[in-house]
Amino acid sequence: MDIKALESFNWGAMTPEFIIVGVAAVLTLLDLFMPKNQDRRILGWIGIVGIFAALISVMGMIDQGTVSILNDTFRLDGFGKAFKVLLLVGAALVMFLAVSYEPKDGMKEYHGEFFYLFLTALLGAMVMTSSGDLITLFIGLELLSISSYILAGMRKRNDASNESAMKYVINGGISTAITLFGMSYVYGLTGTTNLLSIAGQLQSLADGQHVYLLGLAFLMIFVGLSFKLAAAPYHMWAPDVYQGAPTPVTAFLSVVSKTAGFVIVIRILLSVFGVAASEGPGSAPILYKMQDYISFIAAATMIIGNVVALKQTNIKRMFAYSSIAHAGYILVAFASMNFIMFDAIWFYLLAYLFMNLGAFAVIQLVSEKTGTERIADYAGLYRRSPVLAVAMGILLVSLAGFPGTAGFIGKLNIFIGTFAGESHYVLASIMIATTVISYFYYFGVMTQIFFRPAADESKFNIPFGILVVLIVAVVASVLFGVAPNLALDFLHNHFNQFADFLQ
C-alpha cells in the first residue's frame, strides 16, 4: 500500500483511538521521567481528560454515516459508536476509582503503570467495536486481555493478586487458543478474514461437510469467548481474579471488559454465523440452529452465578458470581435473537455499568477503611456513613431488579424479548426464578448495612473520585429506571437501529 492510498483514507474515523493511544504514550513517558517519590495521581487525571476527549470525539461523529477504512478492517458504524460510548463512560468512572485508590500493600510505586495499562486495555476494547476483520478483532481482544492480565497481578507483594493473575493468564490463554482455532476453520472455509466477505460467501453454503465444519467453528468460538464473558461453566477464573485484583481492576473487568466481550461475541457470531446457510441457499442460518446451545449456557450461567453467590462471605467474590449471573441475563437476550436484541443488550449493559461501578466505589472505600473484604464488615454502615449506606442500598436494589431502577427496566426488556417472535418460556422462567434468588444475597448485604450494629463507629471520609462515581451511578440508576426512554430514544435516534451492522 503506497503513501497516496494511505492519505486517501478517512483517518478521522479513528480519532477516539488516536486520542487514547496518544494519552497512553504521554502517560508512559511522564511516568518514566517523574521523580519516584512524586504522587502519580496526576497521571490518572490526565487519563480522565483523555477519555473525555475521546468520548466527545465519538459523540461528534454519532450522526455521520458508516465509514470504512483499511480495506474494511476498521468500520465506524452505528454498532461501533453505540458501544464505544458505553466503554468510554465506564472507563472514565473506573479511572475516577483508580485516582482515589489508596493501596496499603506497597502497590503505590506501580500506580503510574496502573493508569496507562487501563488505557491500553480500553484501546483494545475500542478496536474490537469497530473491527470488520477477524485479524483486527483478535488484535483488539489480545490487547485488552494482556493488559488485563498485568492489571490483575499489579499488587506484586500480595499472594492473592499473584494467584489471580496466574489463573487469569492460564484460562485466558486456553480460551484464546480455542477461539483462534475456531476462527481458523472459518478462514479455511472462505479464504478470507474480512467479515463482510465471509458473510457473502457463507450465504450460499451448500456442502454438508462444510456446514459440519462451520458448526464446529461456531462451538469453538462460542466456548472460547464464553471464558471472556465468565459464562458458566467457563467461569472458574472469575471469583479468584475478582477477589485478588485491586478493586478498580475488578470494577474494570466486571463492566468494561465484559462489555467488550459481548461486543466481540455479537460481531463474530452475527456477522459470520447469523448469515451462514445451514442447509443450502435460503435455509435458516447456522446461528438459529445453535440457539439451544446458547440457551443452555445462558440458563447454566444464571443458575450457577446466583446460587453460588448465596454462600459467599467475601463481597468481591459475591460480586464475581453476581457478574456471572448478569452475563447470563444478557445471554438470554442474545439467545432470543429477535428485533429488540440490540436494544435490550445495549440498555442492560448501560444500566449494569452504573449500578455495578457505583457498588464497587463503596466496596473500595469500605475495604480500604476496614482492611478486609468480608460482608460482615458492612455491619452498621448506615451509622458510620449514611451517604454510603443509602447509595449502596439504591445500587443493590437496582442490581436486584426492583421497579423504579435501571436494573428493572434492563431485565424487563430482556424478559419481553424472550416472547418477541419465537417464545422462550423456559429461559424466561429461569430468569425470573434466579432473579428472585438474587434478592437473598443482595438484601443480605443491605441487612448488614441497615440492621446490624457496627463494631467500629469511626466515620468515613469520601474522596472526590469516589463521590463523583457514586453521584453519577445513583442518579443514572434512578433516572434510567424512571425515564428509560432518555437512553432508548438516544439509541434509536442516532444509531439507525444498527441497520448498517452487516452492510
Side-chain angles (χ1 to χ4, degrees):
M1 188 178 293
D2 58 26
I3 191 67
K4 288 187 178 179
L6 288 173
E7 290 176 347
S8 67
F9 292 134
N10 182 5
W11 293 106
M14 296 187 71
T15 300
E17 286 78 8
F18 288 144
I19 292 173
I20 298 298
V21 168
V23 174
V26 168
L27 295 188
T28 305
L29 293 173
L30 288 175
D31 184 47
L32 181 63
F33 293 107
M34 282 173 67
K36 285 190 176 181
N37 60 352
Q38 187 168 342
D39 192 345
R40 258 54 179 178
R41 263 183 278 196
I42 183 64
L43 301 181
W45 291 112
I46 295 172
I48 290 171
V49 171
I51 292 171
F52 276 112
L55 180 60
I56 292 169
S57 175
V58 172
M59 298 298 286
M61 296 187 291
I62 276 182
D63 293 322
Q64 292 181 9
T66 303
V67 178
S68 176
I69 61 174
L70 298 172
N71 294 326
D72 210 32
T73 58
F74 187 92
R75 289 172 50 82
L76 187 66
D77 52 13
F79 177 87
K81 287 179 281 192
F83 281 89
K84 278 179 190 175
V85 170
L86 293 184
L87 292 171
L88 290 166
V89 170
L93 294 177
V94 170
M95 286 292 273
F96 275 112
L97 292 182
V99 295
S100 300
Y101 187 50
E102 292 288 349
K104 295 181 174 64
D105 52 9
M107 203 196 83
K108 210 158 192 176
E109 60 189 290
Y110 310 115
H111 222 162
E113 300 172 20
F114 201 72
F115 297 120
Y116 51 77
L117 282 169
F118 264 130
L119 294 182
T120 55
L122 173 62
L123 177 65
M126 292 173 67
V127 168
M128 284 159 55
T129 63
S130 290
S131 291
D133 192 279
L134 291 177
I135 293 175
T136 49
L137 272 171
F138 183 73
I139 290 171
L141 177 63
E142 285 306 284
L143 186 56
L144 169 65
S145 299
I146 293 171
S147 300
S148 300
Y149 302 154
I150 302 170
L151 288 168
M154 188 69 76
R155 298 190 295 176
K156 297 183 181 181
R157 297 181 180 88
N158 184 287
D159 291 340
S161 184
N162 293 336
E163 180 186 349
S164 73
M166 179 61 71
K167 289 181 177 179
Y168 197 12
V169 169
I170 292 172
N171 281 280
I174 293 170
S175 69
T176 296
I178 295 171
T179 303
L180 198 57
F181 195 25
M183 289 181 180
S184 70
Y185 272 36
V186 175
Y187 172 72
L189 288 170
T190 60
T192 180
T193 57
N194 184 274
L195 293 177
L196 291 181
S197 299
I198 291 171
Q201 291 194 38
L202 294 181
Q203 284 177 352
S204 58
L205 192 66
D207 190 315
Q209 292 183 336
H210 289 177
V211 172
Y212 175 74
L213 289 174
L214 201 60
L216 288 178
F218 170 85
L219 290 174
M220 284 187 283
I221 292 173
F222 185 58
V223 166
L225 295 179
S226 294
F227 277 93
K228 305 296 183 185
L229 303 176
Y234 317 107
H235 65 285
M236 306 84 69
W237 60 271
D240 291 326
V241 173
Y242 279 44
Q243 181 179 354
T247 304
V249 178
T250 305
F252 177 82
L253 294 176
S254 71
V255 174
V256 181
S257 183
K258 190 177 293 291
T259 299
F262 278 102
V263 163
I264 192 171
V265 164
I266 295 170
R267 272 288 186 201
I268 293 181
L269 298 190
L270 281 186
S271 298
V272 176
F273 303 100
V275 297
S278 57
E279 298 172 0
S283 61
I286 287 179
L287 188 59
Y288 283 95
K289 297 289 186 179
M290 296 292 183
Q291 270 184 302
D292 291 342
Y293 296 99
I294 301 172
S295 299
F296 175 80
I297 295 295
T301 304
M302 290 187 289
I303 293 170
I304 292 174
N306 283 302
V307 171
V308 181
L310 292 171
K311 303 297 289 182
Q312 303 306 310
T313 58
N314 181 290
I315 195 158
K316 284 172 75 174
R317 289 186 75 87
M318 190 202 84
F319 267 81
Y321 284 105
S322 165
S323 179
I324 292 166
H326 285 282
Y329 300 144
I330 302 172
L331 281 173
V332 170
F334 187 72
S336 300
M337 294 181 195
N338 51 55
F339 62 94
I340 64 171
M341 180 188 73
F342 279 115
D343 293 5
I345 291 176
W346 187 87
F347 185 90
Y348 197 91
L349 286 170
L350 176 71
Y352 183 69
L353 182 158
F354 290 115
M355 54 197 185
N356 214 48
L357 287 181
F360 272 109
V362 178
I363 291 170
Q364 176 175 310
L365 192 55
V366 174
S367 299
E368 289 175 1
K369 180 78 171 178
T370 62
T372 69
E373 296 165 351
R374 297 181 306 155
I375 294 175
D377 291 323
Y378 288 76
L381 182 63
Y382 178 70
R383 291 185 176 275
R384 300 177 67 185
S385 177
V387 172
L388 286 181
V390 172
M392 189 65 162
I394 293 171
L395 296 166
L396 288 172
V397 165
S398 185
L399 283 163
F402 259 57
T405 63
F408 170 76
I409 300 297
K411 287 182 180 177
L412 182 64
N413 288 338
I414 293 174
F415 181 76
I416 292 172
T418 60
F419 301 102
E422 182 182 349
S423 297
H424 299 267
Y425 298 107
V426 175
L427 272 183
S429 302
I430 293 173
M431 185 177 178
I432 292 175
T434 52
T435 297
V436 173
I437 292 172
S438 73
Y439 295 165
F440 289 92
Y441 59 84
Y442 287 132
F443 291 154
V445 178
M446 292 181 66
T447 299
Q448 294 289 340
I449 291 173
F450 293 102
F451 302 110
R452 295 287 183 268
D456 180 4
E457 295 288 345
S458 60
K459 303 299 182 182
F460 283 85
N461 293 320
I462 305 177
F464 177 73
I466 297 287
L467 186 62
V468 169
V469 175
L470 282 177
I471 291 173
V472 172
V474 170
V475 170
S477 295
V478 174
L479 181 63
F480 293 137
V482 176
N485 282 344
L486 291 175
L488 292 172
D489 287 346
F490 170 76
L491 184 67
H492 297 155
N493 294 337
H494 296 289
F495 302 110
N496 194 27
Q497 299 288 321
F498 301 121
D500 53 358
F501 181 77
L502 292 174
Q503 295 178 358

